Amino acid sequence: QVHLVQSGAEVKKPGASLKISCEASGYTFTTYYIHWVRQAPGQGLEWMGVINPSAGSATYAQKFQGRVSMTRDTSTSTVYMDLSSLRSDDTAVYYCARVEGMLVAALNYWGQGSLVTVSS
Amino acid sequence: DIQMTQSPSSLSASVGDRLTITCRASQGIGNYLAWYQQKPGKLPKLLIYAASTLQSGVPSRFSGSGSGTDFTLIISSLQPEDVGSYYCQKYNSAPFTFGPGTKVEIK
């Protein structure tokens, strides 16, 4: 079955950078797009961007343009999300999520979440 | 970018009540609309995609409808396990924006 396993919790200082990994298993990695979504404490879901694991191309939410980068390593079936210039309001749980199907871009498989705390 | 709104932002209802949650897109998105449920402390769960297609394993008391700009999620008979937040999401094209969410509580 499909599994997405994310890297663990992190504490970062303002201005630092963050790299979260999301290792996929149970399916052909290059077939399905993977999205990144975050959720600040007590807040709603916020879409950050999406990566095509086959081509390696990514599209980002305008809010994060210039600060985010999504990459993949096909040899390990892992996608990465880098976020730079961290601020306190980047404190959130970060999720990777896979689309349901090639023609359905709704998110049906979710990683367990990675809690990121940004604090001085 | 297309904006997504939801109403109400929260509601409190009794077990067995019929609930209606509305999601509106600022421009037409066809039927490229998904609904998610997030129980407290849990991962989001896909309930409905393509505006009205029930994801496998989701109870039939959940249903969705709509196309274009106006969409509805209905819970026909609220159960205690339905407590949580509900989000719509557009997925016709990037950005794949979520609605702000509707928090459902039991009265």
Side-chain angles (χ1 to χ4, degrees), chain A:
Chain A
Q1 63 272 40
V2 176
H3 283 300
L4 300 174
V5 178
Q6 299 181 221
S7 47
E10 303 209 43
V11 179
K12 295 290 186 180
K13 294 195 179 302
S17 295
L18 169 71
K19 190 180 189 87
I20 302 174
S21 65
C22 170
E23 182 178 0
S25 62
Y27 69 98
T28 302
F29 175 68
T30 52
T31 301
Y32 301 98
Y33 287 31
I34 289 181
H35 296 240
W36 288 90
V37 176
R38 76 177 187 179
Q39 187 169 36
Q43 302 302 308
L45 302 172
E46 181 174 29
W47 184 79
M48 298 183 69
V50 56
I51 184 167
N52 175 346
S54 178
S57 55
T59 300
Y60 309 124
Q62 188 166 7
K63 174 177 179 178
F64 302 102
Q65 290 276 2
R67 218 164 54 96
V68 70
S69 176
M70 297 175 188
T71 58
R72 94 309 190 202
D73 182 343
T74 57
S75 69
T76 61
S77 299
T78 301
V79 297
Y80 299 92
M81 193 278 294
D82 290 83
L83 189 63
S84 61
S85 303
L86 290 171
R87 308 183 288 257
S88 59
D89 61 0
D90 291 317
T91 295
V93 177
Y94 290 76
Y95 298 102
C96 61
R98 202 207 83 174
V99 299
E100 158 63 12
M102 296 178 70
L103 298 179
V104 179
L107 305 175
N108 193 30
Y109 303 94
W110 294 71
Q112 83 275 22
S114 300
L115 175 62
V116 174
T117 303
V118 182
S119 174
S120 55

Side-chain angles (χ1 to χ4, degrees), chain B residues 10-29:
Chain B
S10 66
L11 65 89
S12 181
S14 299
V15 173
D17 281 354
R18 176 184 176 93
L19 265 56
T20 300
I21 298 171
T22 298
C23 175
R24 178 164 290 172
S26 60
Q27 298 176 40
I29 58 171

Side-chain angles (χ1 to χ4, degrees), chain B residues 36-105:
Chain B
Y36 301 87
Q37 174 195 63
Q38 187 177 31
K39 297 181 180 182
K42 301 296 186 182
L43 298 177
K45 174 185 175 182
L46 178 63
L47 295 177
I48 288 169
Y49 61 91
S52 60
T53 302
L54 203 64
Q55 176 62 20
S56 176
V58 173
S60 59
R61 63 180 179 273
F62 292 93
S63 65
S65 64
S67 67
T69 60
D70 294 305
F71 302 89
T72 301
L73 173 69
I74 291 176
I75 307 174
S76 61
S77 177
L78 185 67
Q79 299 302 304
E81 59 267 32
D82 300 335
V83 166
S85 293
Y86 292 80
Y87 300 91
C88 61
Q89 184 198 25
K90 62 173 283 291
Y91 61 89
N92 59 318
S93 62
F96 293 76
T97 309
F98 288 92
T102 296
K103 186 174 183 179
V104 173
E105 298 176 329

